[in-house]
Amino acid sequence: MQDPASPCNGVCRIDDTTGWCRGCQRTLEEISDWSRMSRDRKRALLARLADRRAT
């Protein structure tokens, strides 16, 4: 079973209001932790990102 792909799309700018990257909607902490996250944590984060995009 493979790890989920990174949601990074190369648009790397942090929104001052939300603290989320405007490209992938992750926080700086989530971005830096990605490579150390377990598969389950990555999947959970990807689900939260989908919710963030909807807001």
Side-chain angles (χ1 to χ4, degrees):
M1 186 179 263
Q2 289 185 335
D3 281 355
S6 170
C8 181
N9 61 12
V11 179
C12 304
R13 293 189 188 4
I14 300 298
D15 184 278
D16 291 334
T17 304
T18 63
W20 303 338
C21 173
R22 291 183 182 176
C24 67
Q25 283 72 46
R26 292 182 293 173
T27 64
L28 287 173
E29 183 178 6
E30 291 165 342
I31 292 167
S32 67
D33 289 349
W34 181 262
S35 63
R36 295 183 302 276
M37 286 182 183
S38 67
R39 277 187 208 111
D40 289 340
R41 282 190 63 209
K42 287 178 180 179
R43 286 189 190 104
L45 175 56
L46 290 172
R48 286 193 308 275
L49 297 180
D51 290 341
R52 289 177 189 172
R53 283 196 253 337
T55 60

Short mmCIF file of all heavy atoms in Angstrom, two decimals:
data_model
loop_
_atom_site.label_atom_id
_atom_site.label_comp_id
_atom_site.label_asym_id
_atom_site.label_seq_id
_atom_site.Cartn_x
_atom_site.Cartn_y
_atom_site.Cartn_z
N MET A 1 0.84 -1.18 0.00
CA MET A 1 0.00 0.00 0.00
C MET A 1 0.88 1.24 0.00
O MET A 1 1.79 1.37 0.81
CB MET A 1 -0.90 -0.04 1.23
CG MET A 1 -1.92 1.06 1.26
SD MET A 1 -2.98 0.94 2.71
CE MET A 1 -4.36 0.10 1.99
N GLN A 2 0.62 2.15 -0.91
CA GLN A 2 1.44 3.36 -1.04
C GLN A 2 0.89 4.50 -0.19
O GLN A 2 -0.31 4.57 0.09
CB GLN A 2 1.47 3.82 -2.49
CG GLN A 2 2.28 2.93 -3.40
CD GLN A 2 2.36 3.53 -4.79
OE1 GLN A 2 1.52 4.31 -5.21
NE2 GLN A 2 3.39 3.15 -5.51
N ASP A 3 1.79 5.39 0.18
CA ASP A 3 1.38 6.62 0.86
C ASP A 3 0.61 7.49 -0.11
O ASP A 3 0.91 7.49 -1.31
CB ASP A 3 2.60 7.39 1.35
CG ASP A 3 3.19 6.84 2.63
OD1 ASP A 3 2.60 5.90 3.20
OD2 ASP A 3 4.22 7.35 3.06
N PRO A 4 -0.33 8.28 0.40
CA PRO A 4 -1.01 9.25 -0.46
C PRO A 4 0.00 10.27 -0.99
O PRO A 4 0.97 10.61 -0.31
CB PRO A 4 -2.01 9.93 0.47
CG PRO A 4 -2.16 9.02 1.63
CD PRO A 4 -0.87 8.27 1.75
N ALA A 5 -0.25 10.76 -2.18
CA ALA A 5 0.62 11.78 -2.77
C ALA A 5 0.46 13.10 -2.03
O ALA A 5 -0.61 13.41 -1.51
CB ALA A 5 0.28 11.97 -4.24
N SER A 6 1.53 13.87 -2.00
CA SER A 6 1.48 15.20 -1.39
C SER A 6 0.46 16.07 -2.13
O SER A 6 0.40 16.03 -3.36
CB SER A 6 2.86 15.85 -1.46
OG SER A 6 2.76 17.21 -1.09
N PRO A 7 -0.30 16.88 -1.39
CA PRO A 7 -1.26 17.76 -2.05
C PRO A 7 -0.62 19.03 -2.63
O PRO A 7 -1.31 19.86 -3.22
CB PRO A 7 -2.24 18.11 -0.92
CG PRO A 7 -1.41 18.01 0.32
CD PRO A 7 -0.44 16.89 0.06
N CYS A 8 0.69 19.17 -2.48
CA CYS A 8 1.38 20.36 -2.98
C CYS A 8 1.18 20.49 -4.49
O CYS A 8 1.34 19.52 -5.23
CB CYS A 8 2.87 20.29 -2.66
SG CYS A 8 3.78 21.74 -3.25
N ASN A 9 0.82 21.70 -4.92
CA ASN A 9 0.66 21.95 -6.35
C ASN A 9 1.57 23.07 -6.84
O ASN A 9 1.39 23.58 -7.94
CB ASN A 9 -0.80 22.23 -6.69
CG ASN A 9 -1.33 23.45 -5.97
OD1 ASN A 9 -0.57 24.23 -5.39
ND2 ASN A 9 -2.64 23.62 -5.98
N GLY A 10 2.53 23.45 -6.00
CA GLY A 10 3.52 24.44 -6.40
C GLY A 10 3.11 25.89 -6.21
O GLY A 10 3.86 26.79 -6.54
N VAL A 11 1.90 26.14 -5.71
CA VAL A 11 1.46 27.50 -5.42
C VAL A 11 1.68 27.71 -3.93
O VAL A 11 0.81 27.46 -3.11
CB VAL A 11 -0.04 27.69 -5.78
CG1 VAL A 11 -0.50 29.10 -5.44
CG2 VAL A 11 -0.28 27.36 -7.23
N CYS A 12 2.86 28.14 -3.57
CA CYS A 12 3.28 28.16 -2.17
C CYS A 12 3.27 29.57 -1.60
O CYS A 12 4.27 30.27 -1.60
CB CYS A 12 4.68 27.54 -2.04
SG CYS A 12 4.77 25.88 -2.71
N ARG A 13 2.08 29.97 -1.13
CA ARG A 13 1.91 31.27 -0.49
C ARG A 13 0.98 31.08 0.70
O ARG A 13 -0.11 30.55 0.56
CB ARG A 13 1.29 32.28 -1.45
CG ARG A 13 2.20 32.64 -2.61
CD ARG A 13 1.64 33.77 -3.39
NE ARG A 13 2.22 34.19 -4.62
CZ ARG A 13 3.21 33.70 -5.32
NH1 ARG A 13 3.84 32.67 -4.91
NH2 ARG A 13 3.62 34.22 -6.45
N ILE A 14 1.39 31.55 1.86
CA ILE A 14 0.59 31.41 3.07
C ILE A 14 -0.38 32.59 3.17
O ILE A 14 0.03 33.75 3.09
CB ILE A 14 1.47 31.32 4.33
CG1 ILE A 14 2.41 30.11 4.24
CG2 ILE A 14 0.62 31.27 5.59
CD1 ILE A 14 1.71 28.77 4.18
N ASP A 15 -1.65 32.28 3.33
CA ASP A 15 -2.68 33.30 3.51
C ASP A 15 -2.56 33.88 4.92
O ASP A 15 -2.53 33.13 5.90
CB ASP A 15 -4.05 32.66 3.31
CG ASP A 15 -5.17 33.67 3.39
OD1 ASP A 15 -5.58 34.00 4.53
OD2 ASP A 15 -5.64 34.12 2.33
N ASP A 16 -2.48 35.19 5.01
CA ASP A 16 -2.32 35.85 6.31
C ASP A 16 -3.52 35.65 7.23
O ASP A 16 -3.37 35.63 8.45
CB ASP A 16 -2.08 37.35 6.13
CG ASP A 16 -0.73 37.66 5.51
OD1 ASP A 16 0.20 36.84 5.66
OD2 ASP A 16 -0.60 38.73 4.88
N THR A 17 -4.69 35.51 6.68
CA THR A 17 -5.90 35.36 7.48
C THR A 17 -6.06 33.96 8.04
O THR A 17 -6.30 33.78 9.23
CB THR A 17 -7.14 35.74 6.65
OG1 THR A 17 -6.98 37.06 6.15
CG2 THR A 17 -8.41 35.66 7.48
N THR A 18 -5.94 32.95 7.18
CA THR A 18 -6.19 31.57 7.60
C THR A 18 -4.94 30.86 8.10
O THR A 18 -5.03 29.91 8.87
CB THR A 18 -6.76 30.75 6.44
OG1 THR A 18 -5.78 30.69 5.39
CG2 THR A 18 -8.07 31.31 5.93
N GLY A 19 -3.76 31.28 7.62
CA GLY A 19 -2.53 30.57 7.94
C GLY A 19 -2.33 29.34 7.07
O GLY A 19 -1.42 28.55 7.30
N TRP A 20 -3.18 29.17 6.05
CA TRP A 20 -3.10 28.03 5.15
C TRP A 20 -2.40 28.44 3.86
O TRP A 20 -2.53 29.57 3.39
CB TRP A 20 -4.49 27.53 4.76
CG TRP A 20 -5.37 27.15 5.89
CD1 TRP A 20 -5.00 26.78 7.15
CD2 TRP A 20 -6.80 27.09 5.87
NE1 TRP A 20 -6.11 26.49 7.91
CE2 TRP A 20 -7.22 26.66 7.14
CE3 TRP A 20 -7.75 27.33 4.89
CZ2 TRP A 20 -8.57 26.49 7.46
CZ3 TRP A 20 -9.08 27.16 5.21
CH2 TRP A 20 -9.48 26.74 6.48
N CYS A 21 -1.69 27.48 3.27
CA CYS A 21 -1.11 27.70 1.95
C CYS A 21 -2.26 27.91 0.96
O CYS A 21 -3.24 27.17 0.98
CB CYS A 21 -0.27 26.48 1.56
SG CYS A 21 0.33 26.56 -0.15
N ARG A 22 -2.12 28.89 0.10
CA ARG A 22 -3.18 29.16 -0.88
C ARG A 22 -3.27 28.08 -1.95
O ARG A 22 -4.31 27.92 -2.59
CB ARG A 22 -2.96 30.52 -1.52
CG ARG A 22 -3.18 31.64 -0.55
CD ARG A 22 -3.02 32.98 -1.18
NE ARG A 22 -3.19 34.02 -0.16
CZ ARG A 22 -3.03 35.29 -0.38
NH1 ARG A 22 -2.68 35.70 -1.58
NH2 ARG A 22 -3.20 36.16 0.59
N GLY A 23 -2.21 27.31 -2.11
CA GLY A 23 -2.24 26.24 -3.11
C GLY A 23 -2.81 24.94 -2.59
O GLY A 23 -3.67 24.33 -3.22
N CYS A 24 -2.36 24.50 -1.42
CA CYS A 24 -2.77 23.17 -0.92
C CYS A 24 -3.61 23.23 0.35
O CYS A 24 -4.08 22.19 0.82
CB CYS A 24 -1.54 22.29 -0.70
SG CYS A 24 -0.45 22.85 0.64
N GLN A 25 -3.78 24.41 0.93
CA GLN A 25 -4.57 24.63 2.14
C GLN A 25 -3.98 24.02 3.41
O GLN A 25 -4.66 23.87 4.41
CB GLN A 25 -6.02 24.13 1.98
CG GLN A 25 -6.91 25.05 1.17
CD GLN A 25 -6.59 25.03 -0.30
OE1 GLN A 25 -6.42 23.97 -0.89
NE2 GLN A 25 -6.49 26.19 -0.91
N ARG A 26 -2.69 23.64 3.38
CA ARG A 26 -2.04 23.13 4.59
C ARG A 26 -1.40 24.27 5.35
O ARG A 26 -1.03 25.30 4.78
CB ARG A 26 -0.95 22.11 4.23
CG ARG A 26 -1.47 20.83 3.66
CD ARG A 26 -0.36 19.85 3.36
NE ARG A 26 0.48 20.34 2.27
CZ ARG A 26 1.61 19.74 1.90
NH1 ARG A 26 2.05 18.66 2.53
NH2 ARG A 26 2.32 20.23 0.89
N THR A 27 -1.24 24.07 6.66
CA THR A 27 -0.49 25.02 7.48
C THR A 27 1.01 24.73 7.29
O THR A 27 1.39 23.66 6.76
CB THR A 27 -0.82 24.85 8.97
OG1 THR A 27 -0.39 23.56 9.40
CG2 THR A 27 -2.31 25.05 9.24
N LEU A 28 1.84 25.64 7.72
CA LEU A 28 3.29 25.42 7.64
C LEU A 28 3.69 24.16 8.41
O LEU A 28 4.54 23.39 7.96
CB LEU A 28 4.07 26.63 8.15
CG LEU A 28 4.06 27.85 7.24
CD1 LEU A 28 4.73 29.03 7.93
CD2 LEU A 28 4.77 27.54 5.94
N GLU A 29 3.07 23.95 9.57
CA GLU A 29 3.38 22.76 10.37
C GLU A 29 2.99 21.48 9.62
O GLU A 29 3.74 20.51 9.58
CB GLU A 29 2.66 22.82 11.71
CG GLU A 29 2.99 21.64 12.60
CD GLU A 29 2.31 21.73 13.96
OE1 GLU A 29 1.48 22.63 14.18
OE2 GLU A 29 2.62 20.88 14.80
N GLU A 30 1.82 21.49 8.98
CA GLU A 30 1.38 20.32 8.22
C GLU A 30 2.30 20.05 7.04
O GLU A 30 2.60 18.90 6.72
CB GLU A 30 -0.06 20.51 7.75
CG GLU A 30 -1.05 20.49 8.89
CD GLU A 30 -2.42 21.02 8.52
OE1 GLU A 30 -2.57 21.73 7.49
OE2 GLU A 30 -3.37 20.75 9.28
N ILE A 31 2.75 21.11 6.40
CA ILE A 31 3.67 20.97 5.27
C ILE A 31 4.98 20.35 5.73
O ILE A 31 5.48 19.40 5.13
CB ILE A 31 3.91 22.34 4.59
CG1 ILE A 31 2.63 22.81 3.90
CG2 ILE A 31 5.08 22.26 3.60
CD1 ILE A 31 2.66 24.27 3.47
N SER A 32 5.52 20.87 6.83
CA SER A 32 6.82 20.37 7.30
C SER A 32 6.72 18.96 7.87
O SER A 32 7.68 18.20 7.81
CB SER A 32 7.43 21.33 8.31
OG SER A 32 6.67 21.36 9.49
N ASP A 33 5.56 18.59 8.41
CA ASP A 33 5.38 17.25 8.99
C ASP A 33 5.04 16.17 7.97
O ASP A 33 5.11 14.98 8.28
CB ASP A 33 4.27 17.27 10.05
CG ASP A 33 4.67 17.99 11.32
OD1 ASP A 33 5.88 18.30 11.48
OD2 ASP A 33 3.78 18.25 12.15
N TRP A 34 4.64 16.56 6.77
CA TRP A 34 4.11 15.61 5.78
C TRP A 34 4.99 14.37 5.60
O TRP A 34 4.50 13.24 5.63
CB TRP A 34 3.90 16.30 4.44
CG TRP A 34 3.33 15.38 3.40
CD1 TRP A 34 4.02 14.70 2.43
CD2 TRP A 34 1.96 14.99 3.26
NE1 TRP A 34 3.17 13.94 1.68
CE2 TRP A 34 1.89 14.10 2.16
CE3 TRP A 34 0.79 15.32 3.92
CZ2 TRP A 34 0.70 13.54 1.74
CZ3 TRP A 34 -0.40 14.76 3.50
CH2 TRP A 34 -0.44 13.88 2.43
N SER A 35 6.27 14.55 5.42
CA SER A 35 7.14 13.40 5.12
C SER A 35 7.27 12.44 6.30
O SER A 35 7.62 11.27 6.10
CB SER A 35 8.53 13.89 4.69
OG SER A 35 9.16 14.59 5.74
N ARG A 36 6.96 12.90 7.51
CA ARG A 36 7.05 12.04 8.70
C ARG A 36 5.70 11.46 9.13
O ARG A 36 5.64 10.67 10.05
CB ARG A 36 7.66 12.84 9.85
CG ARG A 36 9.11 13.24 9.60
CD ARG A 36 9.71 13.96 10.79
NE ARG A 36 9.00 15.17 11.18
CZ ARG A 36 9.16 16.37 10.63
NH1 ARG A 36 10.01 16.53 9.64
NH2 ARG A 36 8.49 17.42 11.07
N MET A 37 4.64 11.88 8.48
CA MET A 37 3.30 11.41 8.85
C MET A 37 3.08 9.96 8.41
O MET A 37 3.57 9.54 7.35
CB MET A 37 2.22 12.26 8.20
CG MET A 37 2.03 13.61 8.77
SD MET A 37 0.66 14.42 7.90
CE MET A 37 0.70 16.01 8.67
N SER A 38 2.29 9.25 9.19
CA SER A 38 1.87 7.90 8.79
C SER A 38 0.84 8.02 7.66
O SER A 38 0.28 9.09 7.42
CB SER A 38 1.23 7.18 9.98
OG SER A 38 0.00 7.81 10.32
N ARG A 39 0.58 6.91 6.99
CA ARG A 39 -0.43 6.89 5.94
C ARG A 39 -1.79 7.36 6.47
O ARG A 39 -2.49 8.12 5.82
CB ARG A 39 -0.59 5.48 5.36
CG ARG A 39 0.40 5.14 4.34
CD ARG A 39 0.05 3.79 3.71
NE ARG A 39 1.28 3.21 3.26
CZ ARG A 39 1.86 2.15 3.78
NH1 ARG A 39 1.28 1.48 4.74
NH2 ARG A 39 3.00 1.72 3.32
N ASP A 40 -2.13 6.87 7.65
CA ASP A 40 -3.43 7.23 8.23
C ASP A 40 -3.52 8.73 8.52
O ASP A 40 -4.56 9.35 8.26
CB ASP A 40 -3.69 6.44 9.51
CG ASP A 40 -3.98 4.98 9.25
OD1 ASP A 40 -4.35 4.62 8.10
OD2 ASP A 40 -3.84 4.18 10.19
N ARG A 41 -2.45 9.30 9.05
CA ARG A 41 -2.45 10.75 9.31
C ARG A 41 -2.52 11.54 8.02
O ARG A 41 -3.20 12.57 7.95
CB ARG A 41 -1.21 11.16 10.10
CG ARG A 41 -1.33 10.83 11.58
CD ARG A 41 -0.22 11.44 12.41
NE ARG A 41 -0.29 12.91 12.35
CZ ARG A 41 0.77 13.70 12.48
NH1 ARG A 41 1.97 13.20 12.65
NH2 ARG A 41 0.63 15.01 12.42
N LYS A 42 -1.84 11.07 6.98
CA LYS A 42 -1.91 11.77 5.68
C LYS A 42 -3.32 11.72 5.13
O LYS A 42 -3.84 12.74 4.65
CB LYS A 42 -0.94 11.13 4.68
CG LYS A 42 0.51 11.45 4.98
CD LYS A 42 1.44 10.76 4.01
CE LYS A 42 2.90 11.08 4.32
NZ LYS A 42 3.83 10.42 3.42
N ARG A 43 -3.96 10.56 5.22
CA ARG A 43 -5.35 10.45 4.72
C ARG A 43 -6.29 11.35 5.51
O ARG A 43 -7.18 11.99 4.94
CB ARG A 43 -5.81 9.00 4.79
CG ARG A 43 -5.19 8.13 3.73
CD ARG A 43 -5.85 6.76 3.69
NE ARG A 43 -5.08 5.90 2.82
CZ ARG A 43 -4.26 4.95 3.24
NH1 ARG A 43 -4.12 4.70 4.52
NH2 ARG A 43 -3.60 4.21 2.38
N ALA A 44 -6.11 11.39 6.81
CA ALA A 44 -6.94 12.26 7.65
C ALA A 44 -6.73 13.73 7.28
O ALA A 44 -7.70 14.50 7.19
CB ALA A 44 -6.64 12.02 9.13
N LEU A 45 -5.49 14.11 7.06
CA LEU A 45 -5.21 15.49 6.67
C LEU A 45 -5.82 15.80 5.31
O LEU A 45 -6.42 16.86 5.12
CB LEU A 45 -3.70 15.75 6.64
CG LEU A 45 -3.27 17.13 6.14
CD1 LEU A 45 -3.92 18.25 6.95
CD2 LEU A 45 -1.76 17.26 6.14
N LEU A 46 -5.70 14.89 4.36
CA LEU A 46 -6.29 15.12 3.04
C LEU A 46 -7.80 15.33 3.15
O LEU A 46 -8.38 16.16 2.43
CB LEU A 46 -5.96 13.96 2.10
CG LEU A 46 -4.50 13.88 1.68
CD1 LEU A 46 -4.24 12.59 0.90
CD2 LEU A 46 -4.07 15.09 0.87
N ALA A 47 -8.46 14.62 4.05
CA ALA A 47 -9.90 14.81 4.26
C ALA A 47 -10.18 16.20 4.83
O ALA A 47 -11.13 16.87 4.41
CB ALA A 47 -10.44 13.73 5.19
N ARG A 48 -9.35 16.64 5.78
CA ARG A 48 -9.53 17.99 6.33
C ARG A 48 -9.28 19.06 5.26
O ARG A 48 -9.97 20.08 5.24
CB ARG A 48 -8.58 18.21 7.51
CG ARG A 48 -9.01 17.49 8.76
CD ARG A 48 -8.29 17.94 10.01
NE ARG A 48 -6.84 17.97 9.94
CZ ARG A 48 -6.05 16.91 10.17
NH1 ARG A 48 -6.57 15.74 10.48
NH2 ARG A 48 -4.74 17.04 10.09
N LEU A 49 -8.34 18.81 4.37
CA LEU A 49 -8.06 19.79 3.31
C LEU A 49 -9.27 19.95 2.38
O LEU A 49 -9.56 21.04 1.93
CB LEU A 49 -6.83 19.37 2.50
CG LEU A 49 -5.51 19.32 3.26
CD1 LEU A 49 -4.38 18.90 2.33
CD2 LEU A 49 -5.19 20.63 3.95
N ALA A 50 -9.94 18.85 2.11
CA ALA A 50 -11.15 18.92 1.28
C ALA A 50 -12.19 19.81 1.96
O ALA A 50 -12.85 20.61 1.30
CB ALA A 50 -11.70 17.52 1.04
N ASP A 51 -12.33 19.69 3.28
CA ASP A 51 -13.26 20.55 4.02
C ASP A 51 -12.82 22.01 3.97
O ASP A 51 -13.65 22.91 3.81
CB ASP A 51 -13.35 20.09 5.49
CG ASP A 51 -14.05 18.78 5.65
OD1 ASP A 51 -14.79 18.34 4.73
OD2 ASP A 51 -13.86 18.15 6.71
N ARG A 52 -11.52 22.25 4.08
CA ARG A 52 -11.00 23.62 4.03
C ARG A 52 -11.28 24.25 2.66
O ARG A 52 -11.63 25.42 2.57
CB ARG A 52 -9.50 23.65 4.30
CG ARG A 52 -9.16 23.34 5.73
CD ARG A 52 -7.65 23.32 5.93
NE ARG A 52 -7.33 22.82 7.26
CZ ARG A 52 -6.10 22.54 7.67
NH1 ARG A 52 -5.06 22.77 6.87
NH2 ARG A 52 -5.90 22.06 8.88
N ARG A 53 -11.11 23.48 1.60
CA ARG A 53 -11.34 24.01 0.27
C ARG A 53 -12.82 24.40 0.09
O ARG A 53 -13.13 25.31 -0.66
CB ARG A 53 -10.96 23.00 -0.81
CG ARG A 53 -9.46 22.89 -1.03
CD ARG A 53 -9.13 22.21 -2.31
NE ARG A 53 -8.61 20.90 -2.40
CZ ARG A 53 -7.95 20.15 -1.53
NH1 ARG A 53 -7.76 20.60 -0.34
NH2 ARG A 53 -7.49 18.97 -1.81
N ALA A 54 -13.69 23.69 0.77
CA ALA A 54 -15.13 23.96 0.65
C ALA A 54 -15.55 25.24 1.38
O ALA A 54 -16.64 25.74 1.13
CB ALA A 54 -15.91 22.77 1.18
N THR A 55 -14.68 25.74 2.27
CA THR A 55 -15.07 26.95 3.02
C THR A 55 -14.69 28.21 2.28
O THR A 55 -13.92 28.24 1.40
CB THR A 55 -14.40 27.00 4.41
OG1 THR A 55 -12.99 26.99 4.27
CG2 THR A 55 -14.87 25.87 5.27
#
